[in-house]
């Protein structure tokens, strides 16, 4: 019985970002979703890495060809053919995950159940198993987000009161935010399977599952097809937002995402390649955000933005958003979140 398909390519380590980027770009459906991708070093041939992309159904040959062309152009050399293979009834993601070691990113230790003995006191230990949702901490983009959260946590003056993990996948970043600052975090995704996985992972990590609009710490996981979903107005604006998706969706979402960042708040963006950085930065600078830091890991930069303002204006923003959501009167005349 076939349970899916995979494309497997073995290349020198330096070409891994080109292969991963080509696959992600070619199969992006416009909402930031790509096949599950994993990469690891070849134990028999030093310097070589294997990249595997997993698909629920037989991938479109046109997109496969497009992925191969994009990867070849980025690599600058010929690559092995991208040939889909049918998978037998085996959970290959979980099997390959057993070979992966825990990930250390600042104060965060990301591990599977088989590595619980490696937990350390004083660390934020997060258990994430292989599954159907993206975000196990092993990709450069997720590691960059965790390192950015770690850097923010070292700032004594930055004390966020609520957070948003947009495109939450496994829920890893939402758990990291909730555990670090003991605050409510909204975890949203367009994929209901990812949201269900995030809820399961929250229980494994002893993170309470409760509405993000309250003051108690925990995570609310919601399936939302767009930023016009009422949950964002109900819970926002947010002092801390993380969006680890892809460059195209990040740029398209900028008009709606930027206003969700509260005055004085921070926005972490990841999922973009180095050559896409300028376009993403411009999209958010044009909407009043200030770039604070860039954190490149290989070909994958993570961006940190700040919305100018103070908690006083953040409170006004929350009051206005609550009034808009309930239809109540009392928001200041002419109030506009985009002008904060």
């Amino acid at each position: 019985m076939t349970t899916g398909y995979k494309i497997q390519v073995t290349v020198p380590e330096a070409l891994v970002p080109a292969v991963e980027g080509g696959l992600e770009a070619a199969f992006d459906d416009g909402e930031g979703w790509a096949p599950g991708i994993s990469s690891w070093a070849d134990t028999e041939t030093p310097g070589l890495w294997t990249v595997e992309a997993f698909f629920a159904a037989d991938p479109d040959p046109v997109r496969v060809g497009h992925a191969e062309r994009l990867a070849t152009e980025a690599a600058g050399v010929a690559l092995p053919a991208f040939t889909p293979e049918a998978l037998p009834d085996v959970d290959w993601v979980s099997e390959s995950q057993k070979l992966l070691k825990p990930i250390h990113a600042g104060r965060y230790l990301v591990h599977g159940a088989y590595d619980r003995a490696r937990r350390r006191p004083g660390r934020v230990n997060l258990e994430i198993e292989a599954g159907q949702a993206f975000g196990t901490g092993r990709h450069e983009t997720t590691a960059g987000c965790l390192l950015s959260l770690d850097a923010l946590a070292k700032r004594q003056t930055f004390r966020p009161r609520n957070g948003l993990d947009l495109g939450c996948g496994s829920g890893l970043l939402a758990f990291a935010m909730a555990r670090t600052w003991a605050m409510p975090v909204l975890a949203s995704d367009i994929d209901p399977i990812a949201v269900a996985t995030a809820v399961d992972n929250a229980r494994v990590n002893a993170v309470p599952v409760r509405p993000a609009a309250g003051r108690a710490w925990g995570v609310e996981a919601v399936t939302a097809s767009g930023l016009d979903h009422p949950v964002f107005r109900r819970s926002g604006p947010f002092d801390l937002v993380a969006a680890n998706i892809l460059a195209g969706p990040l740029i398209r979402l900028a008009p709606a995402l930027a206003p969700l960042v509260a005055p004085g708040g921070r926005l972490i963006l990841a999922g973009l390649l180095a050559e896409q950085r300028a376009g993403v930065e411009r999209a958010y600078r044009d909407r009043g955000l200030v770039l604070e830091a860039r954190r490149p890991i290989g070909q994958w930069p993570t961006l940190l933005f700040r919305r100018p303002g103070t908690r006083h204006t953040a409170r006004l923003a929350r009051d206005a958003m609550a009034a808009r959501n309930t239809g109540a009167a009392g928001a200041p005349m002419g109030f506009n979140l985009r002008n904060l």
Side-chain angles (χ1 to χ4, degrees):
M1 176 181 177
T2 297
T3 59
Y5 294 80
K6 73 173 181 178
I7 293 176
Q8 178 175 300
V9 182
T10 299
V11 294
E13 180 179 2
L15 302 184
V16 169
V19 175
E20 292 179 337
L23 286 164
E24 289 179 334
F27 286 93
D28 175 17
D29 65 0
E31 295 291 344
W33 290 101
I37 298 174
S38 60
S39 307
W40 65 89
D42 190 316
T43 57
E44 297 182 357
T45 308
L48 289 183
W49 278 57
T50 297
V51 181
E52 282 188 339
F54 296 89
F55 304 83
D58 194 0
D60 180 3
V62 175
R63 289 196 178 194
V64 172
H66 185 45
E68 186 172 338
R69 287 191 296 275
L70 289 175
T72 301
E73 290 173 3
V77 296
L79 296 174
F82 286 19
T83 304
E85 304 175 32
L87 294 173
D89 189 11
V90 176
D91 188 347
W92 290 104
V93 176
S94 295
E95 290 300 312
S96 63
Q97 196 83 341
K98 292 178 182 178
L99 304 176
L100 300 176
K101 301 301 181 184
I103 299 299
H104 298 263
R107 70 194 62 217
Y108 304 104
L109 174 65
V110 185
H111 63 88
Y114 42 88
D115 278 316
R116 287 174 180 167
R118 298 185 180 226
R119 293 173 176 172
R120 293 294 180 267
R123 305 291 295 273
V124 179
N125 300 293
L126 298 167
E127 182 176 318
I128 303 292
E129 295 289 5
Q132 296 168 300
F134 175 79
T136 61
R138 291 172 174 83
H139 194 276
E140 292 90 337
T141 59
T142 312
C145 290
L146 290 173
L147 289 170
S148 295
L149 292 175
D150 180 66
L152 286 172
K154 294 176 181 177
R155 301 184 187 181
Q156 296 298 318
T157 57
F158 183 65
R159 299 177 182 177
R161 293 172 295 182
N162 65 345
L164 167 63
D165 179 5
L166 184 67
C168 64
S170 69
L172 173 61
L173 297 180
F175 308 148
M177 288 190 278
R179 292 271 299 275
T180 301
W181 286 281
M183 66 180 182
V185 178
L186 175 63
S188 74
D189 208 295
I190 64 172
D191 183 2
I193 294 176
V195 170
T197 301
V199 170
D200 290 341
N201 286 335
R203 297 190 178 107
V204 170
N205 286 278
V207 176
V209 178
R210 54 168 57 109
R215 294 186 178 182
W217 87 283
V219 168
E220 178 180 9
V222 175
T223 302
S225 60
L227 291 176
D228 56 349
H229 192 288
V231 71
F232 297 105
R233 287 187 178 180
R234 171 170 59 81
S235 303
F238 303 91
D239 290 338
L240 180 57
V241 177
N244 180 14
I245 44 180
L246 290 174
L250 285 175
I251 292 173
R252 290 193 294 273
L253 290 173
L257 180 57
L260 290 177
V261 182
R266 300 302 194 277
L267 170 66
I268 298 171
L269 300 180
L272 53 141
L273 290 164
E275 58 267 27
Q276 299 167 326
R277 174 185 58 78
V280 174
E281 288 183 3
R282 182 167 55 252
Y284 287 84
R285 278 175 164 158
D286 288 348
R287 285 156 182 88
L289 300 187
V290 177
L291 182 68
E292 277 197 337
R294 300 186 187 104
R295 185 181 298 276
I297 301 180
Q299 294 296 313
W300 304 91
T302 300
L303 308 178
L304 175 64
F305 288 90
R306 172 178 57 85
R307 175 171 288 286
T310 64
R311 282 198 168 176
H312 172 69
T313 50
R315 187 176 68 253
L316 292 176
R318 287 191 179 90
D319 291 346
M321 187 166 282
R324 182 183 301 174
N325 186 45
T326 61
M333 184 69 72
F335 189 88
N336 189 334
L337 289 177
R338 297 175 189 269
N339 294 331
L340 288 176

